[in-house]
Amino acid sequence: VSCLTQRIGEQFPFPYQPYNIQEEFMQALYSALDKGKVGIFESPTGTGKSLSLICGALSWLTDYEERKRQEAAALLQEGEEALSTNAAQSSAVSSSAELDWITDFVQKKAERDLVSKLKEEEMKRKKREERLEMIRNNVQLKYAVKRKSYEEDEAFKLLQLSKEEQVEATGDQEDEELIIAEYESDDESKIKTEKDEDDELVEEHVTKIYYCSRTHSQLAQFVHEVQKSPFSKDISVVTLGSRQNLCINEEVRQLGSIQRINDRCMEMQKNKHEKHHHEEGVKRKRGPAKSVCPYYKASALQQMRDVVLGAVHDIEQLLKLGRETHSCPYYSTRLAIPPAQLVVLPYQMVLHEATRRAAGVQLKGQVLIIDEAHNLSDTLSCIHSAELSGAQLCCAHSQLSQYADRYKSRLKAKNLMYIKQILFVIEGLVRVLGGEHKSGFFVLLGTEMLTINNFLFKAQIDNINLFKVLQRYFEKSMISRKVSVIYLIHTKTTEKVLSASPMMQVEGFFMALTNSNTDGRVVVHKQGSLSESSVKFLLLNPAVHFAQVLEECRAVIIAGGTMQPVSDFKQELLFSAGVGEERITEFSCGHVIPPENILPLVLCSGPSGQELEFTFQNRDTPRMMDETGRILSNICNVVPGGVASGTLTRLANKKKIFQEPKKANQVEQVLNEFSRCIQRCSADCSGLTGALLFSVVGGKMSEGINFSDDLGRCVVMVGMPYPNIKSPELQEKMSYLDKHLPHSQGRSPGQALIENICMKAVNQSIGRAIRHRGDYSSVVLCDRRYSRPATLSKLPTWIKDRTTTHTTFGPAFAALRKVRNITGSAELLGKLYF
């Protein structure tokens, strides 16, 4: 009996009575996981998608584990009965059958081995469950609050020592040790732990669900939903992050850039490894003492690992826990991956193979949920693209040359050969940019698009086996980290270059050049000087890197609030990755709001009769700007609260005007002021009726920010946000799709790409306003091109089905007035996108 059959007619555990669409979502999700499907799930923001994912997926995992236990128990019983039966039969065998003793022996051995294996697995499972239960009951962790004072004193001294050594000059001997030595501790698998029975158990990867999303704030929100779910007490969860997010060593954190933090962490681990050798009696070479990280101790890491598995923690709670237990959250969470049932992690850690491998993430036979996946194709392309500036190339060449010159007497001939090959390739890249290893060298302006093979020929590096250089030298010697840790770059762009770690960037670009010739292009930008010029690898076929994920996982769920158009998504990412139609399942649901709570309008002309078509040629003309102002002025008259030219003065008399800031760190301040203004307008009787927020499509406020309730009673979309059709990268992508994907409904895949980029941005922007069942808002699409059937079809179904098109302004204005009368609210708000 399958798990799916058991779930029919049963309610899913849920913190409250779920909406019908949530129950349908969970049932469809459960079925997709049980059948090993690739599921595309669309559920509008505000419909409880996160909780549906959590409760549906964890219900399946619970039932799946129970089914495995039952099947194992049945097999064990069957095996033991077979052994017993065979033993009885063997005693009754006549002498004439003794010739078959070999066959009989082999059969019995296979049965005994199966029974032994089943017993061993059952024993491990029971011990693992007992261990987790002890952790949750805090039986095994009472010693955590009784840490001896001398350990705290030792940690304090080590921290002080680290700070003092940061300003000390180190001798040549110390440099040599650091550069030549291998960074053995970088591999998490080499953390030395006590090899008792329980520790061996937790190294085994249990069946788990990997949940990934785009930003750390989205991951934190998901973890909070897990904490509110009925599974919070019974599920082992671990949240992963970068060193930049999880490091608690203040000396390291203050370095700022992620690459500096990574390099310093590696260096301190190496020092720790050397310290163990010295303690074991190995004579220490002269030189100042090297700093080690006081948070990187096996016993402390194991202790925190246990605490992490015992309860659900977000990133902030992990940082607090790390400081309390004096243990590194970064490495403790990685130790917790094998026994964890739910692993929460950012895109990069699961979609990029090298990062996945380094983090200890194993996808074979596991479930992967990719949330906020509306831009998954772009995300994959971005993760696997690489760019190198002329300044970085010159810097990397200088670093590696100094390294080779200084230590050539100590390096093996084979390693010197690889270094010379790397230098040769870098020199070729510099030549392509028109330079001669001097960052100020003048080059001609221009942009050139090349296939990978043509680029290799042009750079005259086609005779170098980059696969071999990467696998045999970069990965094994970790040369990129060794060089970037030691050498300071004495140029006017020192800080910028250091933050990007030139040798690490070079390694990434080498890796990109190993893609298939048809799957990518190299863009050569010459910007006047070598330092400002660049070479960029552009991935055209993201499916080639997604294919391994799809192949390894038991099931993959691709979820989002707006996944339209699904047909193009399937073609580019799934069919191109070798996934058959029979493995794909789709689910899309409407919104939980009543139909009257959303009013989407397509506005084809303004109050003066001016046709609205904000093309690149006419969108900035005075007549279009004036008409836009008249539209907004009329809307503000009937939408008091928050909506988003002498026109600005008229608008300012009705709404306080805000605009999206240029700097990301100012977004929160603007949003707070916007919100306070709306609250004040609700409380007093001043002339202002709310606020107007001007934002940019695809900007800082068009995604990931909620404008619920009075923060967004009207969303006005001015024009259609098509991408720059003259971009060389976009033209190459269109050309690639036209060549490799089938045409559909009389349009080329390249044309479809342009339309999809535009409408995905529109859908993300207009979806900011409706956030829960009782919410309501108007959506005004100001451009007659929105009325085209092909364009309307790309809107989310729950919006498209309620959209009306108005060729003149009067009926649209009347509809907005009617909505205000229905809601009876004097505090409607809005948001405007350009």
Side-chain angles (χ1 to χ4, degrees), residues 175-397:
D175 288 349
E176 292 177 12
E177 292 172 18
L178 179 59
I179 294 178
I180 300 299
E182 295 291 338
Y183 279 76
E184 295 176 345
S185 298
D186 186 40
D187 187 349
E188 279 82 1
S189 67
K190 293 183 180 178
I191 294 175
K192 305 300 180 184
T193 60
E194 297 82 358
K195 291 296 181 182
D196 58 27
E197 230 174 287
D198 290 335
D199 287 332
E200 289 177 358
L201 284 173
V202 297
E203 293 304 316
E204 181 183 345
H205 280 253
V206 302
T207 303
K208 64 179 86 277
I209 295 169
Y210 287 101
Y211 171 91
C212 68
S213 192
R214 198 169 56 85
T215 67
H216 283 286
S217 61
Q218 289 167 343
L219 294 176
Q221 184 178 354
F222 179 82
V223 171
H224 294 157
E225 293 295 313
V226 175
Q227 291 171 331
K228 293 188 294 185
S229 78
F231 296 90
S232 61
K233 305 296 183 184
D234 305 313
I235 197 80
S236 52
V237 182
V238 59
T239 303
L240 303 183
S242 64
R243 285 183 177 88
Q244 193 174 35
N245 292 106
L246 288 173
C247 180
I248 57 173
N249 188 326
E250 292 304 322
E251 177 210 338
V252 179
R253 284 175 64 89
Q254 69 184 7
L255 296 176
S257 78
I258 188 167
Q259 194 54 56
R260 287 185 178 186
I261 291 173
N262 286 342
D263 291 342
R264 182 59 174 152
C265 180
M266 295 294 98
E267 179 187 356
M268 296 176 89
Q269 281 188 59
K270 184 257 182 184
N271 295 343
K272 178 87 171 181
H273 184 71
E274 285 185 349
K275 183 186 175 189
H276 283 307
H277 280 288
H278 299 150
E279 289 173 350
E280 291 168 4
V282 179
K283 186 177 179 182
R284 188 184 186 281
K285 296 179 181 180
R286 287 187 298 174
K290 300 175 183 179
S291 62
V292 297
C293 184
Y295 302 102
Y296 188 80
K297 295 180 180 178
S299 59
L301 293 176
Q302 294 287 353
Q303 175 196 328
M304 183 172 173
R305 185 272 314 269
D306 287 349
V307 179
V308 167
L309 291 171
V312 182
H313 302 84
D314 62 18
I315 291 287
E316 292 302 318
Q317 291 167 331
L318 288 173
L319 292 173
K320 181 181 178 183
L321 180 61
R323 294 186 181 101
E324 289 175 351
T325 60
H326 218 72
S327 177
C328 174
Y330 178 80
Y331 283 106
S332 296
T333 52
R334 271 149 185 73
L335 283 177
I337 293 174
Q341 296 166 290
L342 175 61
V343 180
V344 181
L345 68 173
Y347 278 170
Q348 176 84 11
M349 284 189 178
V350 73
L351 297 178
H352 190 267
E353 183 186 2
T355 308
R356 188 165 69 237
R357 189 170 59 247
V361 172
Q362 298 181 13
L363 296 180
K364 188 68 175 177
Q366 308 292 17
V367 170
L368 173 62
I369 297 176
I370 305 172
D371 204 358
E372 303 298 333
H374 52 276
N375 283 329
L376 180 58
S377 178
D378 294 338
T379 300
L380 283 162
S381 296
C382 182
I383 288 175
H384 293 92
S385 293
E387 186 169 12
L388 273 173
S389 69
Q392 288 174 322
L393 284 168
C394 293
C395 183
H397 190 280

Side-chain angles (χ1 to χ4, degrees), residues 148 165 168 228 239 292 307-308 363 439 451 497 592 599 639 672 750 757 763:
K148 296 179 181 179
E165 287 175 356
E168 286 186 23
K228 293 188 294 185
T239 303
V292 297
V307 179
V308 167
L363 296 180
S439 60
T451 65
V497 178
V592 293
L599 177 65
V639 184
N672 288 337
I757 291 174
N763 291 339

Side-chain angles (χ1 to χ4, degrees), residues 16 19 21 44-48 591-594 597-598 706-713 767-777 798 802:
Y16 53 81
Y19 303 133
I21 61 171
T45 304
T47 56
H591 213 293
V592 293
I593 60 169
N597 280 30
I598 179 75
N706 295 341
F707 290 90
S708 61
D709 300 319
D710 280 353
L711 292 180
R713 293 304 187 200
R768 300 298 94 202
I770 301 290
R771 312 306 289 184
H772 58 82
R773 185 167 192 166
D775 213 348
Y776 58 91
S777 179
W798 65 280
R802 303 169 190 178

Side-chain angles (χ1 to χ4, degrees), residues 25 48 62 143 174 181 259 284 316 327 348 383 408 413 416 418 477 484 510 583 599 712 743 803:
F25 184 106
T62 302
Y143 69 90
E174 181 185 291
Q259 194 54 56
R284 188 184 186 281
E316 292 302 318
S327 177
Q348 176 84 11
I383 288 175
K408 60 184 176 183
L416 279 172
Y418 283 125
S477 71
S484 62
F510 279 26
R583 195 189 171 196
L599 177 65
H743 289 229
T803 300

Side-chain angles (χ1 to χ4, degrees), residues 624-805:
M624 294 302 290
M625 289 295 96
D626 288 344
E627 195 71 353
T628 302
R630 284 189 283 269
I631 292 170
L632 293 179
S633 182
N634 279 277
I635 290 176
C636 287
N637 284 331
V638 297
V639 184
V643 187
S645 1
T647 303
L648 281 177
T649 304
R650 294 200 306 271
L651 292 175
N653 289 333
K654 286 287 183 180
K655 309 278 186 188
K656 184 172 177 58
I657 297 175
F658 296 87
Q659 66 180 17
E660 181 178 303
K662 293 182 179 180
K663 296 181 179 179
N665 59 6
Q666 296 175 341
V667 169
E668 188 173 354
Q669 177 186 349
V670 172
L671 289 174
N672 288 337
E673 292 176 0
F674 177 68
S675 178
R676 284 196 295 269
C677 174
I678 291 165
Q679 293 170 358
R680 286 197 302 270
C681 292
S682 303
D684 60 37
C685 300
S686 62
L688 292 177
T689 59
L692 180 64
L693 176 60
F694 289 87
S695 302
V696 179
V697 174
K700 305 173 188 68
M701 295 184 172
S702 65
E703 185 178 341
I705 297 175
N706 295 341
F707 290 90
S708 61
D709 300 319
D710 280 353
L711 292 180
R713 293 304 187 200
C714 182
V715 178
V716 183
M717 179 68 65
V718 180
M720 299 188 71
Y722 284 108
N724 179 12
I725 192 68
K726 294 184 179 180
S727 162
E729 289 91 342
L730 184 57
Q731 288 181 347
E732 196 65 29
K733 178 74 172 181
M734 292 172 64
S735 175
Y736 174 86
L737 294 177
D738 288 343
K739 184 177 180 180
H740 292 89
L741 298 186
H743 289 229
S744 175
Q745 299 177 350
R747 56 172 190 162
S748 71
Q751 291 173 325
L753 173 69
I754 296 295
E755 295 170 11
N756 293 343
I757 291 174
C758 170
M759 291 309 295
K760 282 180 181 179
V762 169
N763 291 339
Q764 281 300 305
S765 297
I766 64 180
R768 300 298 94 202
I770 301 290
R771 312 306 289 184
H772 58 82
R773 185 167 192 166
D775 213 348
Y776 58 91
S777 179
S778 300
V779 176
V780 182
L781 304 174
C782 295
D783 199 302
R784 72 174 186 84
R785 291 172 293 176
Y786 282 111
S787 63
R788 298 176 302 197
T791 302
L792 283 173
S793 69
K794 295 182 185 298
L795 289 171
T797 304
W798 65 280
I799 293 180
K800 177 188 65 179
D801 292 345
R802 303 169 190 178
T803 300
T804 56
T805 298

Side-chain angles (χ1 to χ4, degrees), residues 510-523:
F510 279 26
M511 180 67 71
L513 291 179
T514 61
N515 278 274
S516 169
N517 186 54
T518 58
D519 290 336
R521 296 291 183 271
V522 179
V523 188

